Amino acid sequence: MNSTMAARCFVVLLFLSFLVMSVLAIPSKRRRGSSFSTIKQLNRKGPYIGLITVYSPEEEAFFRTGAFKPDAKHPFVDLSGSKYDVEGRRYRVGKINGKKVVFVRCGVGMTNAAAATQQMLDLFDVTGIVHFGISGNLNDSMSIGDVTIAKQFAHTGLWNWLNPNGTMDPADVAYLEVGSYNVPEGDGVNLLGQIGYSTEQLFSVSREPKTAVSLWWMEVSQQWLQLARSLEGMELERCVNSSLCLPEKPKLVVGLNGATSNIFLDNAAYRDFLFQTFEVSSSDMESSAVTCLSNGFPVIVIRGLSDLAGAESGDNAIHTFGSLAALNAAKAVLEFISKLPGYNSPLQHYM
């Protein structure tokens, strides 16, 4: 290639790069303005029930039920969640059993869950939030495929990790002595030391400004939890397909405790520690973030148990029964929405 041809190619590439950057930058601002305009129109038709799930298999199970009927004019709104989002989150707007809903898939982890919850509450006219998906099972009295609607959640990933001879903080809720898991027991010194479980520091509009409250348990809304008790005994799916079924019929249980942390739990020893120490029956990566950020709005969490969090031998059962757990959670969500009373104002849910 001669110098003239190379120069022309460089100019063309430079022009194309500028054009692509312009398309990505300028229209994104226009799309953002258009999205806010659409939300304003949608809110005139509200209020809505907020639905938040986590990742694709849960979203797919929910929409496969066919219960969601998209809004004819504005079936969805796309919003950016952070500078790392290429397209941002898609909020889907429609109805379920005649109730107006706005649905979003937040993404895995507490940061995503918190961001999506806050964004939904800030932008949409919602009366409350139903958070749902799958979780690991920590309770031997529960089984894969069961659905749990917990009364409260603890953030079990907020740690003080101490040196072996470190001073334990008396404010910590519990301690995990890593050395007690040495094999053989007590053999040598474990340099990982010990872990103290800390409380969340939360601020509330009902308290003095700049005054944080230490909380271990994040409770769901008692009124909605009481309504959810009417779901116990509902029919849940037992089979993934015609050749793969659970040994027993799944059940729905209301009122247990749940744990949340940015950890995918697949370890039998830690599973037992959490259950014995905190009496938590499920483990997920989002629920306490949604619960603590509900800002006074009603909130409830519905989770299908997809695996035994490391207690099973071989591969984690989430790969086999995750879709079934997601479907059972979605069915419970639909049943719960059908039992919510009709409303025209969020105030009716606080009375």
Side-chain angles (χ1 to χ4, degrees):
M1 179 182 294
N2 59 38
S3 59
T4 302
M5 183 68 71
R8 289 176 180 174
C9 289
F10 175 76
V11 171
V12 171
L13 287 173
L14 186 64
F15 173 75
L16 288 175
S17 298
F18 175 77
L19 184 61
V20 169
M21 291 175 65
S22 300
V23 169
L24 290 175
I26 298 175
S28 67
K29 296 180 181 179
R30 293 175 180 170
R31 287 197 299 271
R32 195 176 302 123
S34 175
S35 295
F36 291 147
S37 175
T38 300
I39 291 172
K40 188 174 181 180
Q41 295 178 49
L42 287 168
N43 284 340
R44 295 194 189 104
K45 300 190 292 184
Y48 299 87
I49 302 166
L51 305 178
I52 301 177
T53 193
V54 179
Y55 79 136
S56 295
E58 298 162 344
E59 182 179 57
E60 292 165 4
F62 173 73
F63 285 113
R64 276 203 308 270
T65 66
F68 178 83
K69 308 301 179 185
D71 184 88
K73 186 175 181 181
H74 300 295
F76 62 85
V77 181
D78 288 337
L79 291 171
S80 296
S82 75
K83 66 179 181 179
Y84 300 106
D85 288 340
V86 177
E87 297 180 351
R89 293 188 178 88
R90 172 161 290 185
Y91 288 81
R92 301 179 186 272
V93 183
K95 290 183 179 182
I96 295 175
N97 296 324
K99 311 284 176 57
K100 297 173 183 177
V101 300
V102 55
F103 168 96
V104 68
R105 171 165 57 92
C106 67
V108 175
M110 298 180 70
T111 300
N112 277 322
T117 302
Q118 194 64 63
Q119 190 175 54
M120 178 179 283
L121 292 174
D122 286 345
L123 297 179
F124 291 91
D125 180 13
V126 297
T127 60
I129 290 177
V130 180
H131 175 50
F132 66 101
I134 62 176
S135 64
N137 174 24
L138 311 185
N139 187 340
D140 288 337
S141 69
M142 301 286 285
S143 302
I144 291 175
D146 290 352
V147 172
T148 174
I149 304 180
K151 64 181 179 181
Q152 56 191 3
F153 288 86
H155 180 188
T156 55
L158 197 58
W159 295 350
N160 287 322
W161 200 319
L162 310 176
N163 283 316
N165 297 320
T167 302
M168 294 183 290
D169 188 340
D172 285 344
V173 177
Y175 300 95
L176 170 61
E177 294 282 352
V178 179
S180 64
Y181 290 87
N182 285 357
V183 178
E185 185 174 353
D187 183 38
V189 177
N190 192 306
L191 298 181
L192 290 176
Q194 52 195 338
I195 295 169
Y197 288 77
S198 304
T199 58
E200 290 272 15
Q201 303 295 311
L202 300 179
F203 293 85
S204 171
V205 294
S206 63
R207 296 181 178 270
E208 291 293 325
K210 300 182 180 179
T211 303
V213 180
S214 296
L215 286 177
W216 177 249
W217 294 110
M218 316 296 161
E219 296 183 349
V220 304
S221 306
Q222 293 303 304
Q223 183 179 353
W224 278 17
L225 187 68
Q226 189 61 35
L227 180 63
R229 294 189 185 280
S230 63
L231 273 61
E232 291 185 322
M234 69 170 288
E235 190 75 20
L236 297 173
E237 297 296 325
R238 179 170 165 257
C239 298
V240 177
N241 52 49
S242 60
S243 59
L244 180 60
C245 295
L246 295 167
E248 297 179 358
K249 181 180 178 181
K251 60 184 178 295
L252 184 147
V253 179
V254 178
L256 300 175
N257 298 325
T260 299
S261 67
N262 280 322
I263 301 169
F264 179 80
L265 180 52
D266 192 23
N267 181 276
Y270 191 55
R271 171 189 190 264
D272 292 343
F273 169 82
L274 288 177
F275 179 74
Q276 296 297 331
T277 306
F278 305 117
E279 296 184 344
V280 287
S281 294
S282 61
S283 174
D284 67 69
M285 300 171 66
E286 297 82 22
S287 294
S288 72
V290 176
T291 305
C292 74
L293 279 173
S294 59
N295 296 326
F297 285 81
V299 62
I300 198 164
V301 178
I302 300 174
R303 291 274 182 169
L305 302 180
S306 60
D307 58 273
L308 300 181
E312 67 268 34
S313 59
D315 292 338
N316 192 290
I318 190 174
H319 306 297
T320 304
F321 293 108
S323 60
L324 178 64
L327 177 58
N328 280 342
K331 290 188 66 173
V333 169
L334 299 180
E335 189 67 18
F336 178 77
I337 291 174
S338 72
K339 293 183 180 297
L340 283 172
Y343 54 84
N344 296 311
S345 167
L347 294 177
Q348 293 188 22
H349 281 287
Y350 295 102
M351 299 176 62

